[in-house]
């Protein structure tokens, strides 16, 4: 395990940094060597990518704050337009340079303005000799902004002629970013996923103060054993660990087992974790409900999950409309005549149709159909006469807003709207009952 | 008319109270969550409301009102149609939050105006800073004034964001918003509420796991709209408070629209209001439809014409025919005598209503628990049945009585108790006897029970005796005896009583649940013209258009247009002629042929002698008229230009509708 060493920074800071970012030592040392000393110019842009929750944001943030490097940290999802993004960078710049000065509202509409204001802001500060770091989190959003933003950020050092480094954090690879007009290639760096050992180490690091570290580590071990198969997301795992720890401690609190008695504790917690895997992890029930449940010690059966409420109540004709739409979507047009016109025993026919469509058209997905066909099928499957009232038509649109149907080809709504049925066979079965 | 306004207000009041009741538990939860906010989860309520989207507006408004009153001043309602992008969403959100802040305390007015002026920077961080500033102010600046409000709200009131129609939001907007707000959850206590119309699965469909894991979703199911409807019917129709009543057919129409079409309580209430308006508008005697207190005054002020109107009512005529001849003459000639009689009759009607409702409820208690529900599960079905015809003549009633005769004792007793409660709560004087009678039944049942328990004691003791005897044969014999005695003696007694009870209920029904049509002067308070209502509520645009074009006489009221059967008259407006001609064509219509046919029809009567001049050359005026008519049809959506053939148009409707 390489110890962090760098001549420019005090050893105490480095030690602290190392304790804060476990399992990421190699990446950190790499970054440090890239950054160089405070006043040295660094690489103009660095691109860091890795799977979700592999510690990109966290590492960058802790690195910059513990070493007290001047930096600006911006999340691109939050500042969704280029103007907001640029203004936010400038505001942060102002506030970190001078805490007391009243920050005047910045107006920055174009990148040109940004470069100008940026130069001013940096020039006014005493930090000219230090490298300024601009970290753009969730950088994949940059692609959706104006075309000049991303290339400009990549060579900001060149444009502004200041000591600045832009760090892009993203979950996707650089190849997907590269604009087709070409641009400055950043230094790319990959953060690999944490292995199970890493996860174990990281999770057991923040153990609650009233229990010993070993105890918590044992707990984490059990937890990982159950959940590692389905989930490697550090955030999720930490969430689950916090949720279930109280249950794990229960025997100890009651005095039935001491902290060393892992086997007993395991017996106690295992079914709970299994249950949690089915419910909490999928967010079927919320974590607060889960906690309440653990308090009461009740069965989770009484708490119905989100997916349990699948039944939808629909008005009488809406049901028929939806069924008609389904039939129109999954039956080819040429069979309509055969199904709906031959004889008049309507109920028997619908059954017969159901059998048919299961075999054939299901894998192709729903096909669009015109409104007239939908109504024709509706008239033939409803027993009594239906007047084509405004109510029926408005029901079709309300079904569209409920996302049970979807409109295809929005160019001429008046002339011949075409729809698609988006619900599954199970749903239709439940309705047709 | 003022009665109607009155009603409206009452209706809304009813609704709001009903809704707030259904949401009260929900708020408690809200408060609870914000306390246990942990990690970066955003507490979220998923509110499953059912498909009656039109009602949601009212629900959400009352919900936000309640929230504002009790928990937090910061409530924002977002609708999908306002938020096509994340930017619009943020703008809307900020605007609403800051406005509602102005409402809460006018002290910060200037401040907020200033903020909203440079609202161009709409981002979460400015929202956060705004929130911090306002929260600080509410804490520090005006502690005296804030004391009462902070006892209502708490120290850091959460910001509640309500998404009215989750389904219609675009996925990206929601995802982005959730991600952003999860970044700021520590600075900004945010609570989301999703209004969901279909099923909670939609959350999983809209949001990927990485986003939905940021939410702490708790599910709330609001009452189904059917239940909602029955409470409203319960409160509006089955009370004696409102003098106005719906006839059986009308009610059936309204309920059908509700069940078949939209599940919308709001529309139901609109229909009901329409009935009221229609009734007061069309029925000249509806002045008499008022509360009992006013009747006397209004009856006295009746004019001669109105008295004549009363005499013309069919139900009144039936009533007169039943009287003896002297009274008949009096009723038909003497106005003042008529007035006295009318007043009496109206009072009778009023009493009848009161009795009707309570007996109806009693009957419902009995029938609703029967297997297969021969008379319907809901009280509204029973109500309809009773309004339409004599309920005791129907087969369903017979079968339900049959079933009632087979009820077991516990059910019967509880039902009787319920009936007694209902009758006690209703203020009718006539029910004293009934209540007594029912109570008598109850005591009889209790006696029976007591006897039974005694007998049980006996049997227990006999069993003890049995245990002493070891002889198997004897044991069997005594057991058989016991069983037989039990069957024959006790059950017959119980059955007798049961028959008595059912018969008594039957007699009550026959006495009180007379259909309203049989009562004299029912026209005054009952609105019964279902056809009118159906015409108003069930709009049929296609049919209307078809009749207008096919039969212009229907709307234009011009005698000349009265056409004869299938022929096409040339006096009709051009568009009608064109429409009729186009009905005879197939999917694609050749314009030249169409024009030809049109000109022949028009020329046929106009100048049959001038055909020599324009036999092959169509008149310019006719050409222009034709083109105008065709473009009008295109505007109405019957045809559209087709791309397949240049001189053809495509028909958009199939058949004649």
């Amino acid at each position: 395990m390489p110890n962090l060493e760098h001549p420019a920074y005090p050893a105490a800071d480095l030690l602290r940094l190392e304790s804060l970012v476990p399992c990421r030592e190699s990446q950190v040392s790499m970054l440090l060597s890239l950054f160089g000393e405070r006043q040295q110019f660094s690489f103009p842009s660095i691109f860091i990518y890795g799977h979700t929750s592999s510690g990109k944001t966290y590492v960058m943030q802790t690195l910059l704050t513990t070493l007290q490097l001047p930096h600006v940290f911006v999340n691109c999802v939050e500042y969704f337009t280029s103007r907001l993004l640029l203004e936010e960078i400038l505001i942060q710049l102002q506030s970190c340079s001078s805490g007391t000065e009243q920050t005047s509202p910045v107006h920055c509409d174009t990148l040109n303005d940004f470069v100008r204001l940026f130069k001013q802001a940096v020039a006014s500060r005493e930090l000219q000799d230090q490298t300024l770091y601009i970290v753009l989190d969730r950088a994949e959003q940059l692609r959706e902004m104006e075309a000049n933003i991303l290339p400009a950020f990549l060579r900001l050092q060149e444009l502004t002629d200041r000591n600045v480094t832009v760090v892009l954090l993203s979950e996707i690879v650089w190849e997907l970013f590269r604009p087709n007009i070409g641009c400055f290639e950043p230094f790319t760096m990959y953060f690999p996923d944490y292995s199970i050992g890493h996860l174990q180490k990281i999770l057991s690091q923040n153990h609650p103060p009233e229990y010993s570290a070993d105890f918590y580590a044992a707990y984490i071990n059990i937890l990982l054993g159950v959940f590692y198969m389905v989930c490697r997301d550090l955030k999720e795992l930490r969430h689950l660990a916090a949720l279930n720890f109280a249950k794990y401690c229960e025997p100890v609190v009651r005095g039935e087992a001491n902290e060393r008695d892992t086997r007993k504790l395991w017996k106690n917690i295992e079914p709970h974790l299994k249950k949690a895997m089915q419910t909490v992890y999928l967010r079927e029930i919320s974590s607060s409900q889960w906690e309440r449940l653990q308090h009461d010690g009740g069965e989770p059966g009484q708490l119905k999950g989100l997916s349990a409420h699948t039944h939808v109540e629909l008005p009488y004709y809406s049901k028929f409309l939806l069924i008609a739409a389904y039939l129109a979507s999954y039956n080819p047009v040429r069979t309509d005549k055969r199904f709906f016109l031959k004889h008049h025993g309507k109920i028997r026919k619908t059954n017969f149709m159901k059998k048919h469509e299961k075999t054939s058209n299901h894998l192709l997905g729903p096909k669009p159909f015109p409104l007239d066909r939908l109504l024709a099928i509706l008239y033939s499957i409803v027993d009594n006469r239906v007047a084509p009232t405004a109510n029926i038509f408005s029901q079709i649109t309300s079904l569209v807003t409920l996302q049970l149907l979807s409109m295809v080809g929005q160019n001429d709504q008046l002339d011949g709207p075409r729809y698609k049925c988006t619900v599954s066979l199970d749903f239709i079965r439940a309705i047709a009952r | 008319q003022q009665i109607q306004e009155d009603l409206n207000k009452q209706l809304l009041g009813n609704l709001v109270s009903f809704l707030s009741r259904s949401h009260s538990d929900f708020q408690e939860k809200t408060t609870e969550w914000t306390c246990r906010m942990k990690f970066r989860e955003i507490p979220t309520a998923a509110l499953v409301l059912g498909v009656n989207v039109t009602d949601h507006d009212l629900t959400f408004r009352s919900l936000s009102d309640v929230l504002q009153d009790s928990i937090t001043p910061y409530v924002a309602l977002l609708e999908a149609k306002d938020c096509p992008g994340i930017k619009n969403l943020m703008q809307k959100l900020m605007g609403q939050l800051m406005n509602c802040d102005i409402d809460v305390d006018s002290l910060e007015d200037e401040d907020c105006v200033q903020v909203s002026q440079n609202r161009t920077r709409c981002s979460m961080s400015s929202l956060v800073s705004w929130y911090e500033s306002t929260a600080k102010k509410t804490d520090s600046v005006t502690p005296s004034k804030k004391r009462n409000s902070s006892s209502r709200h708490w120290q850091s009131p959460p910001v509640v964001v309500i998404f009215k129609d989750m389904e219609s939001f675009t996925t990206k907007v929601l995802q982005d918003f959730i991600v952003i707000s999860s970044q700021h959850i520590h600075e900004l206590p945010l609570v989301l509420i999703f209004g969901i119309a279909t099923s909670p699965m939609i959350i999983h469909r809209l949001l990927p796991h990485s986003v939905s894991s940021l939410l702490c979703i708790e599910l709330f199911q609001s009452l189904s709209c059917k239940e909602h409807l029955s409470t409203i019917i319960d409160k509006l129709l089955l009370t004696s408070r409102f003098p106005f009543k719906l006839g059986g057919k009308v009610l059936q129409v309204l309920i059908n629209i509700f069940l078949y079409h939209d599940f919308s309580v709001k529309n139901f209430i609109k229909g009901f209001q329409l009935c009221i308006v229609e009734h007061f508008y069309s029925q000249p005697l509806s002045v008499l439809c008022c509360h009992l207190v006013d009747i006397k005054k209004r009856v006295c002020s009746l004019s001669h014409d109105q008295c004549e109107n009363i005499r013309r009512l069919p139900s009144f005529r039936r009533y007169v025919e039943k009287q003896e001849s002297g009274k008949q003459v009096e009723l038909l000639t003497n106005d003042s005598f008529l007035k006295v009689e009318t007043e009496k009759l109206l009072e009778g009607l009023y009493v009848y209503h009161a009795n009707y409702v309570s007996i109806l409820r009693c009957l419902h208690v009995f029938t609703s628990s029967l297997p297969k529900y021969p008379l319907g599960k809901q009280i509204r079905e029973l109500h309809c049945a009773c309004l339409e015809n004599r309920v005791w003549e129907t087969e369903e009633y017979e079968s339900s009585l049959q079933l009632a005769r087979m009820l077991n004792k516990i059910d019967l007793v509880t039902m009787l108790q319920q009936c007694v409660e209902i009758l006690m709560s209703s203020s009718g004087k006539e029910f004293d006897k009934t209540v007594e009678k029912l109570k008598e039944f109850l005591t009889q049942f209790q006696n029976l029970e007591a006897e039974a328990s005694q007998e049980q004691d006996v049997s227990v003791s006999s069993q003890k005796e049995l245990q002493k005897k070891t002889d198997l044969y004897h044991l069997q014999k005594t057991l058989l005896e016991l069983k037989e005695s039990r069957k024959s003696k006790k059950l017959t007694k119980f059955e007798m009583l049961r028959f008595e009870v059912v018969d008594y209920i039957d007699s009550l029904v026959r006495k009180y649940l007379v259909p309203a049509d049989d009562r004299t002067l029912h026209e005054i308070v009952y609105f019964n013209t279902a056809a009118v209502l159906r015409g108003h509520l069930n709009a049929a645009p296609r049919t209307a258009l078809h009749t207008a074009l096919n039969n212009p006489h229907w709307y234009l009221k011009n005698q000349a247009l009265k056409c004869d059967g299938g022929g096409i008259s040339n006096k009709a407006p051009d568009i009608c002629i064109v429409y009729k001609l186009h009905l005879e064509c197939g999917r694609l219509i050749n314009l030249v042929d169409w024009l030809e046919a049109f000109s022949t029809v028009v020329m046929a009567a106009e100048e049959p002698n001038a055909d020599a001049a324009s036999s092959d050359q169509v008149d310019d005026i006719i050409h222009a008229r034709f083109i105008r008519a065709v473009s009008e049809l295109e505007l109405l959506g019957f045809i559209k230009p087709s791309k397949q053939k240049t001189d053809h148009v495509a028909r958009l409707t199939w058949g004649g509708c």
Side-chain angles (χ1 to χ4, degrees), chain A residues 211-212 214-220 222-223 226 244-273:
Chain A
Y211 295 98
S212 71
D214 286 346
F215 178 64
Y216 194 74
Y219 164 67
I220 291 298
I222 291 171
L223 188 87
V226 175
N244 295 308
F245 187 59
K247 192 77 198 172
Y248 182 71
C249 298
E250 224 168 55
V252 180
V253 173
R254 280 203 305 259
E256 287 171 12
N258 63 356
E259 293 196 3
R260 304 259 164 267
D261 206 351
T262 38
R263 202 181 150 68
K264 206 169 186 177
L265 289 172
W266 190 75
K267 278 244 172 79
N268 177 40
I269 191 71
E270 200 212 359
H272 266 274
L273 290 180

Side-chain angles (χ1 to χ4, degrees), chain A residues 33-44 128-131 133 157-158 160-165:
Chain A
S33 55
L34 263 180
F35 287 173
E37 286 172 34
R38 277 171 196 271
Q39 68 280 5
Q40 282 170 345
F41 272 66
S42 162
F43 209 75
Q128 286 167 54
D129 50 339
Q130 290 188 27
T131 313
Y133 295 95
Q157 199 173 64
E158 194 179 323
T160 57
D161 203 15
R162 294 284 181 275
N163 190 357
V164 62
T165 294

Side-chain angles (χ1 to χ4, degrees), chain B residues 101-113:
Chain B
D101 183 62
I102 290 177
D103 292 342
V104 168
D105 42 14
S106 51
L107 272 183
E108 293 168 348
D109 230 347
E110 300 147 35
D111 202 36
C112 285
V113 170

Side-chain angles (χ1 to χ4, degrees), chain A residues 78 283 286-287 316-317 372 390, chain B residues 41 184 217 259-260 539 654:
Chain A
E78 192 179 340
R283 307 282 157 166
S286 70
S287 47
Y316 184 73
Y317 282 138
D372 287 342
Chain B
E41 293 196 319
H184 288 278
I217 300 171
L259 289 182
Y260 282 0
W654 33 271

Side-chain angles (χ1 to χ4, degrees), chain A residues 279-300:
Chain A
T279 53
V280 184
Y281 175 60
L282 294 173
R283 307 282 157 166
E284 292 277 292
I285 61 175
S286 70
S287 47
S288 63
Q289 272 173 324
W290 176 253
E291 277 180 0
R292 216 174 308 148
L293 201 73
Q294 287 193 335
H295 261 278
D296 305 342
E299 284 293 302

Side-chain angles (χ1 to χ4, degrees), chain B residues 506-546:
Chain B
D506 186 34
S507 72
L508 280 180
V509 167
R510 274 161 205 270
K511 192 172 165 197
Y512 292 110
L513 290 189
V514 187
D517 292 356
D518 293 356
R519 304 291 304 195
T520 315
L521 291 184
H522 71 91
E523 287 93 341
I524 290 179
V525 290
Y526 276 88
F527 178 70
N528 233 342
T529 44
V532 176
L533 187 73
R534 203 175 288 142
H536 281 308
L537 289 182
N538 278 0
R542 253 191 203 189
T543 332
L545 212 55
H546 182 71

Side-chain angles (χ1 to χ4, degrees), chain A residues 308-424:
Chain A
H309 299 264
T310 43
H311 178 64
V312 177
E313 246 182 18
L314 284 173
Y316 184 73
Y317 282 138
S318 293
K319 279 183 192 169
F320 274 107
L321 268 175
L322 204 57
I323 294 170
Y326 185 79
L327 295 176
S329 272
Y330 286 98
N331 284 334
V333 184
R334 68 192 146 71
T335 57
D336 276 3
K337 216 170 209 169
R338 191 154 57 89
F339 288 148
F340 300 112
L341 283 185
K342 209 156 48 180
H343 31 236
H344 287 282
K346 266 112 196 168
I347 303 151
R348 208 160 53 80
K349 257 188 286 171
T350 48
N351 292 338
F352 159 50
M353 275 178 303
K354 284 250 170 62
K355 265 175 227 145
H356 177 256
E357 84 218 4
K358 243 189 297 178
T359 53
S360 66
N361 276 316
H362 238 75
L363 296 173
L364 295 172
K367 291 187 206 55
F369 53 87
L371 172 67
D372 287 342
R373 190 168 160 231
L374 170 69
L375 288 180
I377 295 179
L378 173 74
Y379 293 148
S380 76
I381 59 173
V382 178
D383 281 337
N384 44 358
R385 237 185 80 67
V386 193
T389 59
N391 280 331
I392 296 278
F393 295 123
S394 67
Q395 268 179 59
I396 297 176
T397 38
S398 70
L399 284 178
V400 172
T401 48
L402 294 180
Q403 297 203 339
L404 298 174
L405 300 182
S406 70
M407 183 106 76
V408 190
Q410 55 279 56
N411 48 358
D412 51 350
Q413 296 208 351
L414 262 186
D415 292 348
R418 294 166 76 79
Y419 298 94
K420 230 182 204 182
C421 185
T422 55
V423 293
S424 64

